[in-house]
Amino acid sequence: EDFEIKNLDILESENSQKTEKIKGKKQIKEEIGFENLKNLLDNTSSCQISDALNKLTRRDGVLKGLKSVNNKTAYGRVVTVESSSDDWGTSLLGIDACKKGNILFIKTSGPSSAVWGELTSTCSGEKGIAGTVIWGATRDINFVSENNYPVFAKETIPNAGNALGLGKVNIPIKISESPDIIIKNGDFIFGDKSGVVHVPQELFCDVMIKALEIKANETNIISEIKKGKPLSQIVGLKDKIE
């Protein structure tokens, strides 16, 4: 129960809950679930989450080509945006649609033009959004690379389009990979220095449980390595060779 994706939603009302003098049993249970889930996510990686998803579905969930601009880690439920790369105005509508703790995912199409930069990062950070993932380009790298707000993008360029606001918000987005990935509002995204991983919301709990198992197993493996045991033997390769 602690690893159900709904426990991430407590971020949206975290401040108001802290000011309440009396808490019901349901609220206390939700807060415990959130803290346990947050503790796992704060101490895991995109690699472990991708491994967990792959063990369950044979799909790694990696959004290939996306890189961290400022080496930050971010995770949360997704708010989706799709627009022309010439229209950075729709990014602002996406920011407005986000709640505290959300990840804003923006897919752009057309000639390379930045839909993100200093102003949007500043606005999103002030609102408490967890981070922005751009299937497209960002700019203002001198600022973004030093800022604490997490940004992930496929490329960085100096030019931007216009504040048109003609794109769409909160719609399923298709990412052409092999196989294709469909990102829906409310899905989960985790990004760090290694890359960005997408987890469908209906698989989130199972993936978190599997990720915890992987972490425990890796801890045991590291312990055996420090005792002097060869990694090839630990994973069973040495026995196969012999």
Side-chain angles (χ1 to χ4, degrees):
E1 290 183 354
D2 288 353
F3 292 166
E4 292 180 1
I5 196 168
K6 67 180 182 180
N7 287 322
L8 288 176
D9 296 337
I10 196 173
L11 282 168
E12 300 171 6
S13 55
E14 187 182 31
N15 290 334
S16 63
Q17 289 180 358
K18 286 181 178 178
T19 61
E20 293 182 7
K21 294 181 180 180
I22 301 176
K23 298 181 180 181
K25 290 182 179 180
K26 181 180 179 182
Q27 184 177 330
I28 293 173
K29 184 178 180 181
E30 289 175 346
E31 288 184 354
I32 293 173
F34 165 71
E35 291 298 333
N36 289 337
L37 179 55
K38 185 176 185 298
N39 184 56
L40 171 63
L41 291 169
D42 284 346
N43 292 282
T44 193
S45 68
S46 62
C47 304
Q48 292 166 332
I49 291 176
S50 176
D51 287 350
L53 181 63
N54 192 43
K55 285 182 179 295
L56 293 169
T57 68
R58 293 302 171 194
R59 301 181 67 167
D60 56 35
V62 176
L63 298 172
K64 297 174 177 62
L66 288 170
K67 301 294 182 183
S68 172
V69 176
N70 50 4
N71 293 325
K72 302 297 181 182
T73 296
Y75 60 79
R77 303 191 76 175
V78 177
V79 170
T80 58
V81 169
E82 188 165 17
S83 74
S84 162
S85 58
D86 187 51
D87 177 14
W88 57 266
T90 306
S91 299
L92 308 186
L93 301 181
I95 293 172
D96 292 343
C98 282
K99 297 179 180 179
K100 183 177 180 180
N102 284 156
I103 291 285
L104 180 60
F105 183 89
I106 305 170
K107 180 187 177 184
T108 65
S109 58
S112 292
S113 187
V115 295
W116 200 264
E118 179 177 357
L119 298 181
T120 45
S121 285
T122 301
C123 179
S124 298
E126 289 295 319
K127 190 172 182 179
I129 299 172
T132 297
V133 178
I134 308 160
W135 194 262
T138 184
R139 69 174 192 168
D140 294 330
I141 302 306
N142 288 344
F143 173 85
V144 175
S145 63
E146 300 296 328
N147 190 254
N148 286 327
Y149 182 79
V151 177
F152 304 81
K154 295 200 75 174
E155 61 178 328
T156 60
I157 51 178
N159 59 299
N162 302 283
L164 303 175
L166 300 177
K168 297 179 180 179
V169 179
N170 294 337
I171 61 167
I173 291 179
K174 180 179 179 180
I175 301 297
S176 296
E177 292 286 344
S178 181
D180 290 341
I181 294 176
I182 305 297
I183 300 176
K184 304 183 298 296
N185 234 48
D187 283 353
F188 178 78
I189 277 184
F190 189 107
D192 59 17
K193 294 179 184 179
S194 293
V196 179
V197 178
H198 162 256
V199 178
Q201 54 191 302
E202 61 271 17
L203 296 175
F204 178 81
C205 185
D206 290 338
V207 170
M208 291 301 104
I209 293 171
K210 184 61 68 175
L212 182 59
E213 292 175 2
I214 289 172
K215 284 179 62 64
N217 184 53
E218 289 180 351
T219 299
N220 291 333
I221 290 174
I222 291 172
S223 177
E224 291 298 307
I225 291 173
K226 290 183 177 180
K227 293 177 183 177
K229 196 171 183 179
L231 181 57
S232 59
Q233 183 179 346
I234 297 172
V235 301
L237 286 179
K238 191 169 183 179
D239 294 337
K240 290 181 180 179
I241 294 173
E242 294 176 350

